[in-house]
Amino acid sequence: MSAEADIQLPRRSASATSLPGLEGAADESATVQEIRNELEFAQWYDTAGVELREATYEKYQSCLDELEMTTSHLDSLLRDSSSTLDLLSSLSRSFKAVETQTTIFQQQCEGLLSAEARSSKLADDIQENLQFYDYLDPASRRLNAPGAGNSVRRKDFSDMLRRLDECLDYMQAHPEQKEAETYRARYRLLLTRALTLIRGQFVSTLREISSGVSKRIADRQLNDTTMSALLYAKFRVGAAEMKDIGLEIQKRAVPPLDPKQGAEAEYQSLLNELHTNFSATRGKLIIPLVRKRLNDIANAPSTSKDLVAFARGSISYVRGICLDEFDLWGQWFHGQQGLYDFLESVCEPLYDHLRPRIIHETKLVKLCQLCTLLQTRYLMDPEEEAEYPNPNQLDFSALIQPALEDTQTRLVFRAQAILRDEIEKFKPKPEDLDYPARNTRVSLPGKENKQPVVSGKKQSHREPVSPVPKLPVIVDEELDSPGEKDPRWDFESRSVFEGWYPTLRKAVWLLSRIYRLVNQQIVAFDIEFVSPEVTFDFSGVTNTFWELRERGGLFNPRNLVHLLGNGLLPRVVENMLDAKVELDGRLRTVINDFTNSFAARMTAPLPSTVTAASMPQARAAVGNARQVIQKEVPELRRLLGNYITDTRTRETLVAAVQDNVIQLYEDFFQVYTSAESAGDRVVGRSNGKGRADEVWDVETFTDWSEGVFSVGIPKLEDPDEEVEDMSSDRSV
């Protein structure tokens, strides 16, 4: 142990190092005689040493004792420290053992806690799963109890249906559980039982309301206001409640996402029964009243014999009934499923009255008026019709469509009969074929066009442009009503058609009757029924083989197979020929044939080939051709005047014949000059005139033909107009 352990060792001062007897010895030495030799010094030294030891012995002895005591004390402290260290080591080992045991105990506690948590979660899961199984008994007792149908209107009944849906969904989602299929089937039966109770309550409510209304109607005569209150106000009283309970069936009548072909929703039959019962109940009350009202309209003097008047009155009445039933349906049901089937049954009396009248109607005008009435008043405009119809509005066009189809069918049949009997099988009389004398006997007002044959640009300020067609229409004994007349087609004078061929008059009359009906469908008809012109395009084949030839591999099978779909096969091209274009093409063909035939007759004396030997004959042929032209031009104008009343058209055709004659003469003149090129004679003109016995050049012949044909000159009213305005008409 160190000296710092509670034991203080005696410390000697600096003075303590000196021997205790030195001071006295020094005093005595002062009395000692001086040492004179070594012997004396040795004696003196021995004596001094003895005296010094005797003087310091006690102090040294006490210091030694103290040191021994200190050593003993330090040894005891070392022993105590060793024992303390041993004790602390044992305590440390004990603490480590306790810590090890505590850790083991903690782990065991944590294991117990986790086991408890797993057991608690398992118990909760079991309890959660069992609630879907435990609900079977109370639901079965409630639905099979006496008077279970009376609880349908309570709110907790909807909650019970929701719980049944949840149980069914759980059984559907956990098919691996042992009793899932069994409980699923039993829950399905309970849900069917609950929805059947709803159906029964719905039907009984309808029956009660219907029986009360029927009894009131049978007891006494009722006016329209009371009848409306009975037929609609009584049914609106409990409609909201029935709509809510009926919604429970409708929500479960949803078809599956991927239904099989022909499959329907599971509870669709129950929903159909609701619609059927409601329709049957309303039909028993409404349809007899509709039949009675339609019979009254049919027997009324103003509508008994007039198809259009009867249709207007009866359709307006039935439409009002359908609107009321549409509103009442919306108060009983969500959606329109089954609605239009019911409304069609309400419209059956209307069909029963209209169909026989339409079949027996022989007047085409009445059928056209009926079609116009249905199309304009009750059908939606295709241009204004939205992509998705408004579910809150009645689509009456779907209900009136059968009547429109019957009318159109009858109209087509009558039109075909008129075409067959009065046009195709028409047998003309001699006076019908007496042309052109027939035209000369008929005086058509306004047939002569007093305007000159000038370009369209100058004519535009003389005659106002009107979008109405100038083609008149026959006005026969079947006159339209003032509201049905079309100013574009109807004329008051019948004399304008006296010169027409009878079949043409009948065809124009027939077209005028059906014009308004097919006006909307004319474009679709052209596209659908016009036969396309099919051709094959082989350009791709040529280009493909040329490409193979350039880059090589023409006979490589792989390249041929690869190019089968890339142009090796010819393309099929379909060209839809428009009816107007086709008619215009045929008209051009007829005009060209007419002008070419007259031009060929006028230039028939001109030879097609000229040689040096036949030059005199060619010059003589030119003179003959001029004589023929002078003779044929009046005949041409006479024929055109007999058959064409429009001056502009006649002059345009005369100008076309003149152009063809000039062109043929120009061809002849080229052949003549080629044959004469070897000689020195040059064909020319002198002051715009040529000799009668020589071949004129083209310009001289043209000037001469202008005077012969006189296109447009006799009819000119404005002396300032020039003949060159004919250029635009000749180009036509």
Side-chain angles (χ1 to χ4, degrees):
M1 298 290 295
S2 64
E4 298 177 354
D6 297 337
I7 299 176
Q8 300 293 329
L9 296 178
R11 296 183 179 181
R12 295 183 181 180
S13 63
S15 61
T17 58
S18 63
L19 296 175
L22 291 179
E23 295 180 358
D27 292 339
E28 292 177 356
S29 63
T31 63
V32 178
Q33 298 178 357
E34 295 181 1
I35 300 174
R36 289 182 295 277
N37 53 27
E38 294 181 357
L39 181 60
E40 292 177 357
F41 175 77
Q43 294 176 355
W44 172 81
Y45 182 77
D46 292 336
T47 305
V50 173
E51 292 176 356
L52 181 61
R53 284 194 295 272
E54 291 178 357
T56 59
Y57 178 76
E58 295 179 359
K59 292 181 180 180
Y60 280 108
Q61 188 63 39
S62 62
C63 182
L64 180 61
D65 295 338
E66 290 178 2
L67 291 175
E68 291 177 355
M69 290 176 62
T70 300
T71 302
S72 177
H73 180 67
L74 292 176
D75 292 338
S76 64
L77 287 178
L78 288 175
R79 288 190 299 271
D80 293 340
S81 298
S82 298
S83 62
T84 301
L85 290 174
D86 294 338
L87 179 60
L88 291 176
S89 298
S90 64
L91 289 175
S92 177
R93 289 191 296 271
S94 300
F95 281 128
K96 290 181 178 180
V98 171
E99 182 181 3
T100 303
Q101 294 177 359
T102 303
T103 302
I104 294 173
F105 180 72
Q106 181 181 0
Q107 294 175 354
Q108 293 176 353
C109 292
E110 291 177 353
L112 292 176
L113 290 175
S114 61
E116 182 183 4
R118 288 194 300 271
S119 300
S120 177
K121 185 177 181 301
L122 180 60
D124 293 340
D125 293 340
I126 293 175
Q127 180 63 30
E128 183 180 358
N129 295 338
L130 285 177
Q131 67 177 348
F132 297 106
Y133 291 90
D134 294 340
Y135 191 69
L136 180 65
D137 293 336
S140 300
R141 288 194 299 269
R142 179 174 180 178
L143 293 175
N144 294 317
N150 298 327
S151 63
V152 169
R153 299 190 178 188
R154 295 205 298 263
K155 185 179 182 303
D156 57 349
F157 192 82
S158 298
D159 297 336
M160 183 192 66
L161 292 177
R162 180 179 56 80
R163 288 293 306 277
L164 289 176
D165 290 335
E166 293 176 355
C167 294
L168 281 171
D169 293 339
Y170 178 81
M171 301 303 170
Q172 180 73 22
H174 299 82
E176 72 278 0
Q177 296 182 5
K178 184 177 181 180
E179 300 293 333
E181 290 297 329
T182 303
Y183 274 79
R184 179 187 174 190
R186 298 179 67 181
Y187 277 125
R188 183 70 65 187
L189 292 176
L190 291 179
L191 183 59
T192 304
R193 169 66 176 166
L195 298 182
T196 304
L197 292 177
I198 293 178
R199 189 270 313 271
Q201 184 67 25
F202 193 94
V203 173
S204 63
T205 303
L206 278 175
R207 189 181 299 113
E208 292 175 1
I209 299 175
S210 176
S211 61
V213 172
S214 299
K215 185 177 180 182
R216 292 284 302 275
I217 293 176
D219 288 344
R220 52 186 173 177
Q221 298 292 333
L222 303 176
N223 55 23
D224 295 340
T225 304
T226 308
M227 185 71 70
S228 177
L230 283 176
L231 292 177
Y232 295 101
K234 287 288 186 181
F235 278 86
R236 292 190 179 99
V237 174
E241 188 177 8
M242 291 294 102
K243 184 177 182 179
D244 292 337
I245 65 174
L247 182 61
E248 299 294 339
I249 298 179
Q250 186 174 356
K251 289 189 298 185
R252 293 162 180 83
V254 178
L257 296 178
D258 189 14
K260 296 181 180 179
Q261 186 177 3
E264 63 176 6
E266 186 172 0
Y267 297 106
Q268 185 64 43
S269 59
L270 292 176
L271 183 62
N272 293 339
E273 290 185 20
L274 298 186
H275 297 158
T276 302
N277 281 277
F278 182 84
S279 301
T281 302
R282 293 296 302 171
K284 292 179 181 178
L285 300 174
I286 296 297
I287 293 179
L289 300 178
V290 173
R291 291 187 183 277
K292 182 177 181 301
R293 178 62 177 170
L294 292 180
N295 288 331
D296 295 340
I297 296 176
N299 295 326
S302 61
T303 58
S304 59
K305 296 182 179 180
D306 191 349
L307 173 62
V308 179
F310 171 78
R312 184 180 292 107
S314 59
I315 293 175
S316 298
Y317 170 73
V318 172
R319 184 173 182 271
I321 295 295
C322 291
L323 287 174
D324 295 336
E325 294 299 323
F326 180 85
D327 295 337
L328 184 61
W329 184 282
Q331 296 179 7
W332 277 77
F333 299 102
H334 288 273
Q336 299 178 0
Q337 183 181 358
L339 169 62
Y340 285 92
D341 294 336
F342 164 60
L343 294 180
E344 286 181 2
S345 64
V346 175
C347 295
E348 280 297 329
L350 174 64
Y351 302 151
D352 295 340
H353 280 81
L354 272 180
R355 189 170 289 112
R357 287 173 175 262
I358 293 173
I359 293 175
H360 293 88
E361 181 61 51
T362 58
K363 294 183 178 181
L364 189 68
V365 173
K366 293 297 181 181
L367 295 174
C368 294
Q369 290 177 355
L370 180 57
C371 286
T372 303
L373 174 68
L374 298 178
Q375 289 178 341
T376 55
R377 292 192 180 183
Y378 303 111
L379 295 183
M380 299 180 65
D381 190 354
E383 297 181 355
E384 299 178 358
E385 186 176 359
E387 183 178 359
Y388 299 100
N390 187 359
N392 298 323
Q393 293 183 358
L394 173 64
D395 185 11
F396 190 69
S397 60
L399 302 176
I400 206 63
Q401 189 67 29
L404 178 61
E405 292 176 356
D406 292 340
T407 307
Q408 292 174 338
T409 303
R410 178 60 179 171
L411 179 62
V412 171
F413 176 79
R414 287 297 304 149
Q416 290 177 345
I418 293 174
L419 287 173
R420 181 183 63 253
D421 299 336
E422 302 185 28
I423 296 179
E424 292 181 1
K425 297 182 179 180
F426 176 75
K427 296 181 179 180
K429 300 177 182 178
E431 57 269 19
D432 294 332
L433 301 177
D434 189 13
Y435 286 95
R438 180 181 176 86
N439 290 337
T440 58
R441 291 195 301 265
V442 177
S443 177
L444 298 179
K447 69 176 181 177
E448 292 294 335
N449 188 1
K450 301 298 183 180
Q451 297 182 2
V453 182
V454 293
S455 64
K457 183 179 295 184
K458 290 195 175 184
Q459 189 188 7
S460 61
H461 73 278
R462 295 169 176 266
E463 179 177 302
V465 178
S466 175
V468 235
K470 299 181 66 176
L471 181 64
V473 171
I474 296 297
V475 179
D476 60 335
E477 66 277 2
E478 300 176 349
L479 297 177
D480 296 344
S481 62
E484 299 292 338
K485 283 190 175 184
D486 192 339
R488 296 175 297 176
W489 296 98
D490 296 321
F491 297 85
E492 295 183 0
S493 177
R494 189 178 300 187
S495 61
V496 294
F497 311 108
E498 294 297 331
W500 291 22
Y501 192 68
T503 56
L504 178 61
R505 290 202 305 268
K506 182 59 68 173
V508 174
W509 172 83
L510 183 61
L511 290 175
S512 68
R513 298 281 77 85
I514 65 176
Y515 168 76
R516 291 184 293 268
L517 303 179
V518 301
N519 190 26
Q520 298 295 334
Q521 292 82 12
I522 189 68
V523 176
F525 177 83
D526 288 342
I527 296 177
E528 182 177 0
F529 295 100
V530 172
S531 300
E533 179 184 358
V534 180
T535 58
F536 293 94
D537 182 12
F538 292 90
S539 60
V541 179
T542 306
N543 294 335
T544 301
F545 276 104
W546 178 262
E547 181 182 359
L548 286 175
R549 182 177 178 273
E550 288 294 322
R551 69 183 185 184
L554 178 61
F555 299 100
N556 190 348
R558 180 178 300 177
N559 292 338
L560 295 177
V561 173
H562 176 70
L563 292 173
L564 278 176
N566 297 327
L568 188 59
L569 298 179
R571 294 188 302 109
V572 180
V573 181
E574 293 186 0
N575 296 322
M576 300 295 292
L577 184 61
D578 185 77
K580 296 179 180 179
V581 177
E582 182 181 6
L583 181 60
D584 183 70
R586 293 184 179 181
L587 180 60
R588 289 176 182 272
T589 302
V590 172
I591 293 176
N592 291 334
D593 293 342
F594 175 78
T595 56
N596 291 334
S597 63
F598 257 95
R601 287 168 54 184
M602 293 179 180
T603 59
L606 298 177
S608 58
T609 58
V610 178
T611 60
S614 62
M615 296 287 288
Q617 292 83 354
R619 288 192 292 270
V622 171
N624 296 334
R626 291 197 295 268
Q627 295 177 1
V628 173
I629 293 174
Q630 292 175 345
K631 179 181 178 181
E632 291 293 337
V633 167
E635 179 67 15
L636 171 64
R637 288 190 173 276
R638 185 185 66 81
L639 292 176
L640 293 177
N642 290 335
Y643 292 96
I644 299 177
T645 60
D646 184 65
T647 304
R648 183 183 181 86
T649 304
R650 293 200 304 266
E651 296 301 321
T652 302
L653 293 175
V654 172
V657 174
Q658 179 185 355
D659 291 340
N660 287 350
V661 169
I662 295 174
Q663 181 62 42
L664 293 175
Y665 184 82
E666 183 177 357
D667 297 340
F668 161 76
F669 186 73
Q670 291 179 354
V671 174
Y672 182 81
T673 55
S674 298
E676 203 178 27
S677 60
D680 296 333
R681 182 179 179 183
V682 178
V683 180
R685 58 174 296 176
S686 176
N687 297 328
K689 296 182 180 180
R691 293 174 53 185
D693 58 346
E694 68 180 3
V695 177
W696 295 343
D697 63 352
V698 178
E699 294 182 0
T700 304
F701 183 81
T702 302
D703 294 340
W704 174 80
S705 64
E706 292 286 350
V708 175
F709 284 90
S710 301
V711 177
I713 294 178
K715 299 297 181 180
L716 286 177
E717 293 180 353
D718 191 355
D720 297 333
E721 295 193 11
E722 300 178 357
V723 180
E724 56 263 18
D725 292 335
M726 287 293 300
S727 58
S728 62
D729 292 327
R730 293 187 179 184
S731 63
V732 178

